[in-house]
Amino acid sequence: MKLIVANLKMNLLFEEINVYKETLENISFTNKIVVCAPMAFVPLFKSDKYSLGAQNCYVEDKGAYTGEVSAKQLKSLGAEYVIVGHSERRSYFKEENDFINKKCLKVLENNMLPILCVGEITEEKLAGNTYNVIQKELAECLVGINNFDNLVIAYEPIWSIGTGLIPSVDEIKDAIAYIKEYVKGNYRQEVKVLYGGSVNMNNIFEIGQIDNVDGFLIGTSSININDFVNDIEKIN
Ligand code: PGA
């Protein structure tokens, strides 16, 4: 069974949510679906049919942190997954690995699963540094983590996010193998790894055939519910 995570980013309006939800409620799927809604709408996506996720959280439980939402609050809404270290958080909000590590630990402390995003930018790829970048992100974001049953890693080459460009099948397979071997080598444990970056109904089946891909993190193609349904149905 694959894990298919919708990252809605900062899309949808309140009035669009019912249609999104109803459509998702009324299709049948065999894989596990997680919807990571914009923060304001997270509670509206509670469902028996798919899991609730968030796109971010803060590292403190409560207090004077205007505008932030704690992992504990997300847990109290019924969230099961929280995306951490997404490249858009890293680039626009200057989140660094040590801060992302604190978020991972906080999500775990609240009995939810972090979906930790790692991946390289174009220049790093062209310089042959993809694995060095991934290695550093893993080393610094996974400090203090000892149970990989409760954590998911998403390999998201940054140059592929929202661009329509995707790595070759071999590149995806090798990067995911690298991540799994890193966790195995350092922690003696297995970890689930998703692929993210321009996944859509035209490529999801092929990427899903790669044997070490445990699922997908889907941005653009999850925003329109019909696109997302098509994605889901391609790998049912
Ligand atoms: P994309 O985004 O599917 O639009 O490339 C993926 C992501 O940012 O998680």
Side-chain angles (χ1 to χ4, degrees):
M1 188 163 70
K2 307 253 190 238
L3 182 62
I4 306 177
V5 183
N7 176 10
L8 295 177
K9 307 194 182 184
M10 199 173 71
N11 294 291
L12 297 191
L13 296 175
F14 180 66
E15 54 267 34
E16 295 170 310
I17 286 170
N18 274 346
V19 173
Y20 197 100
K21 279 193 59 174
E22 272 168 30
T23 311
L24 207 47
E25 297 277 352
N26 287 312
I27 62 161
S28 53
F29 42 80
T30 52
N31 293 298
K32 185 171 174 65
I33 310 292
V34 181
V35 177
C36 296
M39 206 54 104
F41 303 148
V42 166
L44 304 179
F45 278 88
K46 187 104 178 64
S47 165
D48 294 336
K49 219 173 155 196
Y50 53 88
S51 296
L52 192 62
Q55 299 168 21
N56 183 34
C57 68
Y58 194 55
V59 295
E60 300 294 339
D61 291 338
K62 61 175 188 164
Y65 301 100
T66 302
E68 293 297 321
V69 174
S70 70
K72 210 181 176 84
Q73 289 171 321
L74 291 171
K75 178 70 184 180
S76 75
L77 291 173
E80 291 176 53
Y81 293 82
V82 183
I83 298 172
V84 289
H86 191 279
S87 65
E88 287 149 19
R89 302 268 349 147
R90 293 176 188 262
S91 63
Y92 299 136
F93 304 102
K94 308 287 172 251
E95 293 191 7
E96 309 257 354
N97 289 334
D98 57 344
F99 189 53
I100 294 163
N101 172 240
K102 287 196 184 119
K103 292 190 178 192
C104 281
L105 292 168
K106 205 32 119 173
V107 172
L108 287 166
E109 185 187 308
N110 284 283
N111 298 315
M112 297 180 290
L113 286 85
I115 301 171
L116 170 65
C117 302
V118 299
E120 79 286 0
I121 61 171
T122 306
E123 290 72 20
E124 291 162 342
K125 175 181 166 62
L126 294 177
N129 283 332
T130 297
Y131 296 163
N132 294 337
V133 170
I134 295 174
Q135 193 268 335
K136 184 170 161 49
E137 289 181 329
L138 292 175
E140 295 179 5
C141 294
L142 295 176
V143 174
I145 285 164
N146 44 36
N147 184 353
F148 286 83
D149 289 339
N150 298 331
L151 179 137
V152 179
I153 297 175
Y155 171 55
E156 295 211 301
I158 296 166
W159 52 271
S160 172
I161 295 177
T163 59
L165 304 169
I166 50 166
S168 68
V169 162
D170 284 346
E171 285 171 330
I172 294 174
K173 190 181 170 104
D174 291 351
I176 290 187
Y178 179 85
I179 293 168
K180 292 190 174 193
E181 277 157 27
Y182 178 92
V183 170
K184 184 114 197 151
N186 287 280
Y187 299 92
R188 308 268 162 260
Q189 289 182 54
E190 310 289 334
V191 68
K192 281 199 168 43
V193 184
L194 313 180
Y195 170 76
S198 293
V199 173
N200 60 41
M201 65 180 132
N202 298 318
N203 56 33
I204 194 165
F205 181 78
E206 189 185 7
I207 301 171
Q209 295 294 105
I210 305 173
D211 57 13
N212 62 2
V213 171
D214 296 309
F216 306 90
L217 182 49
I218 308 179
T220 310
S221 187
S222 71
I223 296 165
N224 178 309
I225 186 58
N226 297 322
D227 291 343
F228 191 45
V229 167
N230 280 326
D231 298 342
I232 292 169
E233 289 185 339
K234 288 275 172 183
I235 51 162
N236 253 349

